[in-house]
């Protein structure tokens, strides 16, 4: 029996090896290397024995009791080799990235020389330049350079593979183009890693682009004006086409046309992007295989209709596709489609049958060898997942469909894509558009009209602006249809489900069940040639695996919000937020707080407590109330001591507009919750001072069985003394976890306070390098003297604890 699609098996082994190489610990990788090495040795030994001792037959080779089937043994033996190769490649790339980051260049002022690879224009007129073959000199070494050039070369010169540079709007007398050799001076920063659950990992994303550092440059000098002609010509064409679209299309639609034709999303309206993403059709806004297939049909198909041979049509069509890929930014999805299209051209030239899964496997080998971290990109997973759904799952579902049932077949193909891409969607976006299957069925067939209309608008608009606007008319009505469909579906019940980020074991069970059932379905179709109805209940049961179970015990997450506070408590279906703000994270609500809640599958917050009204405690909560429609705050708790302050009035108005209840809390009051209690110990409504919001800070005691925690907001030292005077001795002695007041300010967390509370663990929330010097050394010294274990969000990222009411388990997100 001969193995079908051997390249698919080898590509799967290589990808598996890279995943292991990127994720596994060193010890595990060593063990896997030894296993793979043993398999390779066994393969070589077996092959030699087979060559020397085997008794040959037409169908197989035998020696002793060992049998090798010639049709499939080679590929099975090569599988561990490709797993081993994937592990080695991923490990090598990972070590190279860690070596660059180990230079610790972040925060240094440097002078870097390099060759311009790509140039992108920002909305403010500035440029984003990617340089390669970079050499940099630390700014601190300028004086040393004059003294001894050799010492500078030895101690201060560093080489980087690539560097992303942000430049201000260029002056009229100069411009940077691909191929130029330039020198830039500025401050270098490493990309931020994810600091909280659900937060986007910029460091991981840019690693897939072979970037570890970026620079905000204030000086730029062109050392060599020679240009990369191809990239330069395509860059100029892109800017020219973008200018025509701006003059002929409505501003909002011009942004969409630039995204779907030129790959430029910088001018797209964020509300349109969010609408498409929530509806499950955001893939239409990215240049992908769909768009490249249209260009392929126009270029290659046109040449073939003109009578051009397969060879010349393939070469010319491939050149057009490659140029278009570079023009649109050469994203992994575009490169994947380019490789697969070239496979199709080659198959036609050789007179061979084109196999989608084999072409997809070759694309995977090429792309992931070049950059293993591409595997972690959401777009890559969705792009390959959609093709796997079409090439593998859809044939199992559809089988032989009669002509009159073609609509049903199209729906099944769309469903296959959705089923395969479901786990990546939940992992990266935490939400699932319930009606995405049907919406894609309505809008995808019309996408060709949008691309054709936009292309016509560019070509005719270059000749006459009125003609260009006329050509864009078809695209205009299609885009109106898209928006209408999205808004109609948005009104349906269950429009967007928010199950949160699924765990690895659930995704493994899901894919394992999907593979097993697909195999059974394919076997049934092969022998009986009839459609089965067993899929519906089975798939419903599989989808139930993606529904998050209620939280058992009490989970507390101290979010890393930078210079601020943000705490989330979960027990059962109860969710309590205490604060959520920052002074150094401008988009805290959008980039950290909302993604965290969505990743946990939280669409309803039982209570959102505002300890006091400073921005470093409310900026993210304000975003939830004002701009986040997918998360509902059922009750907003405000400090009664600050009633009358304009800040609390604004929050109250926002909450009432969203239908939230309002509670003005003071000492002695408690929240009505199931499973755990949150009681306010301080202050009373008479103790607030209008000019000092820190005096409004609610001090909350959290109790869950034998677990006790104290949250202190920005409580002052005077407030600590007042609370101790108002409570009986020993009242706070059972506190196990203390959230340190005011981010570790030296004016809080006094010696007397710590002696009265005596916490086993303390958590300090602050921003790294903040201008206040938090946490102060005196506070850390007091905590060490008390014997408390200290967690700091700036060092570890989010700090998480879990308790069953007796034991406590700690975890930090950075581990």
């Amino acid at each position: 029996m001969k193995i079908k699609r051997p390249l698919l098996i080898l590509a799967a082994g290589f990808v598996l090896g890279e995943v292991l190489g990127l994720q596994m610990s060193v010890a595990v990788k060593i063990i896997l290397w030894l296993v793979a090495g043993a398999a390779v040795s066994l393969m070589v030994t077996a092959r030699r024995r087979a060559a020397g001792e085997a008794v040959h037959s037409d169908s197989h080779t035998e020696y002793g009791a060992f049998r090798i089937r010639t049709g499939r043994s080679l590929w099975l033996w090569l599988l561990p080799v490709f797993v081993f190769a994937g592990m080695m490649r991923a490990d090598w790339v990972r070590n190279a990235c860690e070596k660059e980051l180990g230079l610790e260049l972040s925060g240094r002022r440097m002078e870097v020389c390099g060759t311009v690879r790509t140039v992108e224009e920002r909305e403010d007129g500035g440029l984003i330049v990617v340089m390669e073959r970079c050499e940099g000199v630390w700014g601190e070494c300028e004086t040393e350079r004059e003294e001894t050039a050799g010492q500078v070369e030895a101690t201060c010169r560093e080489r980087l593979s690539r560097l992303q540079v942000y430049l201000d709007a260029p002056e009229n007398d100069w411009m940077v183009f691909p191929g130029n050799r330039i020198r830039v001076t500025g401050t270098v920063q490493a990309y931020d890693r994810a600091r909280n659950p659900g937060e986007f990992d910029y460091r991981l994303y840019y690693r897939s682009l072979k970037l570890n550092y970026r620079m905000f440059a204030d000086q730029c000098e062109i050392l060599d004006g020679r240009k990369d002609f191809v990239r330069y010509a395509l860059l100029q064409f892109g800017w020219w086409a973008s200018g025509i679209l701006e003059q002929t299309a409505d501003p909002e639609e011009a942004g969409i046309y630039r995204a779907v034709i030129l790959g430029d999303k910088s001018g797209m309206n964020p509300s349109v992007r969010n609408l498409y993403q929530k509806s499950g059709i955001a893939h239409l806004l990215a240049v992908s295989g769909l768009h490249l297939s249209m260009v392929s049909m126009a270029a290659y198909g046109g040449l073939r209709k003109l009578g051009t041979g397969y060879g010349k049509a393939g070469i010319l069509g491939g050149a057009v596709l490659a140029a278009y890929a570079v023009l649109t930014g050469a994203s992994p999805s575009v490169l994947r489609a380019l490789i697969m299209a070239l496979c199709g051209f080659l198959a036609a030239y050789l007179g061979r049958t084109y196999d989608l899964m084999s072409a997809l496997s070759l694309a995977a080998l090429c792309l992931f060898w070049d950059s293993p971290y591409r595997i972690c990109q959401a777009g890559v997973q969705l792009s390959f997942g959609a093709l796997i759904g079409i090439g593998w799952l859809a044939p199992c579902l559809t089988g032989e469909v009669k002509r009159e049932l073609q609509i049903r077949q199209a729906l099944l193909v769309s469903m296959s894509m959705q089923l395969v891409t479901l786990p990546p969607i939940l992992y990266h976006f935490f939400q699932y558009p319930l009606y995405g299957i049907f919406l894609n069925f309505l809008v995808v067939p019309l996408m060709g009209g949008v691309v054709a209309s936009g292309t016509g608008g560019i070509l005719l608009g270059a000749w006459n602006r009125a003609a260009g606007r006329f050509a864009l008319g078809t695209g205009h009505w299609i885009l109106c249809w898209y928006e209408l469909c999205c808004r109609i579906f948005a009104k349906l019940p269950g429009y967007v489900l928010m199950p949160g980020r699924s765990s690895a074991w659930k995704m493994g069970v899901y894919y394992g069940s999907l593979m097993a059932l697909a195999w059974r379905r394919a076997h049934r179709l092969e022998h009986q040639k009839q459609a089965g109805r067993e899929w519906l209940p089975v798939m419903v049961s599989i989808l139930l695996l993606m529904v998050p179970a209620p939280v058992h015990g009490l989970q507390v997450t101290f979010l890393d919000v930078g210079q601020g506070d943000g705490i989330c408590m979960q027990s059962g279906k109860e969710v309590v937020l205490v604060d959520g703000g920052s002074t150094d994270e401008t988009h805290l609500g959008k980039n950290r707080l909302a993604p965290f809640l969505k990743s946990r599958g939280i669409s309803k917050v039982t209570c959102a407590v505002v300890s006091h009204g400073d921005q470093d405690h409310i900026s993210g909560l304000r975003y939830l109330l004002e701009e986040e429609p997918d998360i509902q705050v059922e009750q907003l708790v405000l400090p009664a001591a600050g009633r009358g302050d304009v800040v609390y009035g604004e929050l109250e108005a926002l909450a009432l507009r969203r239908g939230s209840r309002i509670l003005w809390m003071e000492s002695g009051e408690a929240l009505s919750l199931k499973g755990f209690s949150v009681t306010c110990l301080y202050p009373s409504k008479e103790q607030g001072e209008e000019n000092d919001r820190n005096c409004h800070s609610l001090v909350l005691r959290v109790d869950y069985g034998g677990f006790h925690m104290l949250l202190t907001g920005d409580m002052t030292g005077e407030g600590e003394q007042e609370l101790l005077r108002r409570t009986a001795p020993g009242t706070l002695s059972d506190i196990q976890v203390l959230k340190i007041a005011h981010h570790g300010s030296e004016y809080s967390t006094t010696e007397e306070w710590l002696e009265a509370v005596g916490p086993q663990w303390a958590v300090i929330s602050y921003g790294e390098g903040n201008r206040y010097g938090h946490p102060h050394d005196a506070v850390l010294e007091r905590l060490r003297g008390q014997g408390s274990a200290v967690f700091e969000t700036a060092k570890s990222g989010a700090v998480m604890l879990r308790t069953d009411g007796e034991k406590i388990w700690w975890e930090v997100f950075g581990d």
Side-chain angles (χ1 to χ4, degrees):
M1 179 181 175
K2 188 175 181 180
I3 287 183
K4 297 179 180 179
R5 296 169 174 166
L7 190 60
L8 176 61
I9 296 176
L10 300 184
F14 183 79
V15 172
L16 174 61
E18 288 201 322
V19 171
L20 295 175
L22 294 176
Q23 300 295 332
M24 295 297 182
S25 64
V26 175
V28 174
K29 284 189 281 190
I30 290 175
I31 294 174
L32 292 174
W33 286 344
L34 294 175
V35 172
V40 173
S41 300
L42 179 61
M43 177 190 74
V44 174
T45 303
R47 280 309 207 185
R48 288 178 177 175
R49 290 180 60 191
E53 305 174 14
V55 178
H56 298 281
S57 67
D58 293 338
S59 60
H60 61 266
T61 301
E62 291 185 1
Y63 48 97
F66 194 77
R67 170 176 294 187
I68 297 180
R69 294 190 180 276
T70 57
R72 60 181 175 180
S73 61
L74 175 63
W75 306 111
L76 293 178
W77 284 114
L78 283 176
L79 180 60
V81 177
F82 273 67
V83 174
F84 180 70
M87 292 175 59
M88 292 292 292
R89 175 60 179 168
D91 201 50
W92 187 88
V93 171
R94 181 181 183 181
N95 290 336
C97 292
E98 296 298 337
K99 182 179 179 181
E100 275 199 6
L101 290 173
L103 299 174
E104 298 182 351
L105 303 179
S106 190
R108 295 185 181 274
R109 183 171 177 81
M110 295 186 66
E111 178 185 283
V112 180
C113 299
T115 303
V116 175
R117 177 179 174 85
T118 62
V119 178
E120 180 183 345
E121 191 171 10
R122 301 200 310 260
E123 291 185 24
D124 60 1
L127 301 177
I128 302 176
V129 176
V130 174
M131 300 166 54
E132 57 187 0
R133 300 189 296 276
C134 303
E135 289 188 355
V137 178
W138 300 357
E140 298 93 295
C141 297
E142 294 295 328
T143 56
E144 295 182 20
R145 181 187 309 187
E146 298 177 359
E147 298 174 1
T148 88
Q151 184 179 0
V152 173
E153 181 71 27
T155 62
C156 302
R157 188 171 297 278
E158 302 294 353
R159 289 177 172 82
L160 303 175
S161 57
R162 291 183 183 177
L163 178 68
Q164 187 180 56
V165 182
Y166 291 81
L167 295 171
D168 292 332
E171 303 293 338
N172 295 328
D173 59 343
W174 69 275
M175 184 64 184
V176 174
F177 295 110
N180 292 165
R181 186 77 178 172
I182 64 174
R183 179 191 291 126
V184 292
T185 304
T187 302
V188 174
Q189 291 183 355
Y191 293 101
D192 295 330
R193 62 180 177 85
R195 309 281 300 176
N196 301 279
E199 184 180 349
F200 185 77
D201 195 326
Y202 287 95
R203 180 173 297 183
L204 186 62
Y205 171 76
Y206 280 103
R207 276 192 180 186
S208 69
L209 304 180
K210 305 179 183 178
L211 288 163
N212 293 303
Y213 291 100
R214 59 179 174 172
M215 172 188 283
F216 296 90
D218 49 43
Q219 298 178 31
C220 178
E221 178 185 358
I222 299 177
L223 304 177
D224 188 344
R226 286 178 293 182
K227 305 178 181 68
D228 182 327
F229 175 76
V230 174
R231 291 183 181 273
Y232 170 73
L234 292 172
L235 178 65
Q236 292 290 340
F237 175 80
W239 286 348
W240 171 78
S242 180
I244 292 176
L245 287 172
E246 288 180 357
Q247 298 175 29
T248 55
D250 294 334
E252 185 173 294
E253 293 182 358
I256 297 177
Y257 283 123
R258 286 202 300 270
V260 301
I261 298 176
L262 303 175
D264 178 14
K265 296 183 180 180
S266 60
M268 188 182 301
N269 189 327
S271 62
V272 173
R273 185 183 303 179
N274 292 336
L275 180 65
Y276 279 46
Q277 182 173 324
K278 289 181 62 176
S279 302
I281 60 172
H283 59 91
L284 299 179
L285 299 176
V287 177
S288 61
L290 176 65
H291 305 76
L292 214 69
S293 65
M294 298 176 189
V295 177
S296 174
M297 287 188 291
Y300 179 80
L303 290 171
R304 287 292 300 132
K305 289 182 178 180
L306 293 175
T308 309
Y310 285 108
K312 292 181 179 179
I315 293 173
L316 294 175
V320 171
L321 291 182
Y324 184 68
V326 175
L327 171 66
T328 57
S331 68
S333 299
V334 171
L335 294 177
R336 185 267 307 157
L338 173 62
I339 295 172
M340 295 180 67
L342 294 178
C343 289
F345 297 163
L346 182 60
Y349 175 72
L350 297 176
R352 304 291 295 271
T353 302
Y354 173 78
D355 182 68
L356 184 146
M357 294 302 293
S358 296
L360 184 66
S361 301
L362 179 62
L365 288 172
C366 294
L367 292 176
F368 299 146
W369 174 270
D370 179 62
S371 177
Y373 280 100
R374 283 190 176 123
I375 297 174
C376 304
Q377 280 193 25
V380 172
Q381 294 175 9
L382 295 177
S383 176
F384 277 84
L387 267 294
I388 291 172
I390 294 173
W392 165 67
L393 184 58
C396 299
L397 283 173
T398 58
E400 294 182 356
V401 180
K402 297 180 180 179
R403 183 175 298 274
E404 60 269 18
L405 298 178
Q406 292 301 308
I407 295 180
R408 175 176 175 271
Q409 184 181 30
L411 284 172
L412 288 175
V413 171
S414 179
M415 186 174 71
S416 300
M417 297 167 59
Q418 296 287 330
L419 289 174
V420 175
T421 57
L422 174 60
I425 290 173
L426 295 181
Y427 186 85
H428 294 286
F429 305 108
F430 325 125
Q431 297 174 298
Y432 183 73
L434 185 60
Y435 307 106
I437 296 175
F438 308 103
L439 189 55
N440 274 278
F441 181 72
L442 293 175
V443 301
V444 169
L446 300 176
M447 195 61 205
V450 176
V451 175
S453 180
T455 304
I458 294 172
L459 298 178
L460 294 178
W463 168 65
N464 182 276
R465 295 296 185 264
R469 283 190 286 271
F470 176 78
L472 292 172
T474 302
H476 166 76
W477 290 112
I478 295 176
L479 293 177
C480 290
W481 168 249
Y482 284 0
E483 183 174 354
L484 177 63
C485 289
C486 291
R487 298 197 183 282
I488 290 176
F489 277 84
K491 296 179 180 179
L492 298 177
Y495 166 58
V496 174
L497 303 179
M498 194 187 297
R501 174 171 285 175
S502 297
S503 57
W505 73 267
K506 284 188 175 183
M507 291 189 288
V509 170
Y510 176 87
Y511 277 130
S513 302
L514 196 62
M515 293 173 65
L517 292 169
W519 181 86
R520 288 175 51 199
R521 181 75 180 114
H523 183 76
R524 179 186 179 95
L525 285 172
E526 182 178 350
H527 289 84
Q528 298 185 19
K529 305 295 183 184
Q530 62 180 5
R533 298 182 179 275
E534 71 273 19
W535 274 88
L536 183 58
V538 173
M539 294 313 303
V540 170
S541 66
I542 293 176
L543 291 175
L544 289 176
L545 294 173
M546 298 298 173
V547 178
V551 175
H552 298 289
L554 175 66
Q555 292 184 5
V556 182
T557 303
F558 299 87
L559 294 168
D560 179 8
V561 296
Q563 185 63 19
D565 268 354
I567 304 164
C568 179
M569 297 181 286
Q570 295 175 260
S571 180
K573 295 184 178 181
E574 303 280 9
V575 179
V576 177
L577 273 180
V578 179
D579 291 333
S582 177
T583 54
D584 59 359
E585 295 295 331
T586 308
H587 302 290
L588 172 72
K590 178 181 178 181
N591 296 337
R592 295 194 180 186
L593 185 56
F596 164 76
L597 294 173
K598 292 180 180 181
S599 72
R600 294 290 178 89
I602 298 173
S603 58
K604 289 185 179 181
V605 175
T606 309
C607 294
V609 181
V610 175
S611 67
H612 65 292
D614 286 347
Q615 286 301 307
D616 60 340
H617 292 254
I618 66 170
S619 61
L621 291 178
R622 183 188 291 271
Y623 172 84
L624 293 184
L625 294 172
E626 197 169 13
E627 301 183 46
E628 181 51 71
D630 296 330
I631 298 175
Q632 176 64 37
V633 176
E634 295 183 336
Q635 184 178 50
L636 179 66
V637 179
L638 299 171
R643 194 164 191 171
D645 190 308
V646 63
V647 170
Y648 304 119
E650 292 174 354
L651 292 173
E652 181 183 23
L654 289 174
L656 292 174
R657 196 176 304 148
R658 291 286 303 272
S660 304
R661 303 187 307 275
I662 305 297
L663 172 64
W664 294 92
M665 178 175 271
E666 61 175 320
S667 59
E669 294 183 329
L671 299 178
S672 178
L673 302 168
K674 296 179 181 178
F676 68 107
S677 64
V678 178
T679 306
C680 179
L681 303 182
Y682 181 88
S684 64
K685 61 182 178 181
E686 293 83 11
Q687 291 174 308
E689 297 181 9
E690 184 177 352
N691 295 327
D692 187 0
R693 293 197 184 108
N694 289 338
C695 295
H696 305 164
S697 275
L698 297 176
V699 177
L700 304 175
R701 178 187 174 109
V702 181
D703 299 292
Y704 181 80
F707 169 79
H708 311 287
M709 178 173 65
L710 198 63
L711 308 178
T712 54
D714 278 1
M715 190 182 193
T716 63
E718 293 79 5
E720 293 172 353
Q721 299 303 317
E722 177 65 23
L723 178 57
L724 291 178
R725 283 194 294 269
R726 293 177 53 189
T727 56
T731 302
L732 302 177
S733 60
D734 59 348
I735 296 297
Q736 298 154 300
V737 178
L738 174 66
K739 203 286 294 183
I740 298 301
H742 209 169
H743 323 293
S745 168
E746 62 182 334
Y747 302 109
S748 301
T749 318
T750 61
E751 197 79 48
E752 184 180 356
W753 171 257
L754 288 178
E755 289 178 359
V757 178
Q760 295 176 254
W761 297 276
V763 180
I764 311 178
S765 177
Y766 66 96
E768 185 177 7
N770 65 84
R771 67 179 186 271
Y772 308 103
H774 296 159
H776 285 98
D777 292 337
V779 173
L780 296 175
E781 185 62 33
R782 293 170 203 156
L783 289 169
R784 283 192 291 267
Q786 187 65 34
S788 302
V790 180
F791 293 94
E792 303 174 52
T793 58
K795 293 183 177 180
S796 64
V799 178
M800 296 164 281
L801 74 82
R802 179 171 53 88
T803 179
D804 58 2
E806 296 180 0
K807 297 180 180 180
I808 301 175
W809 296 267
W810 290 90
E811 180 183 358
V812 293
F813 188 74
D815 282 354

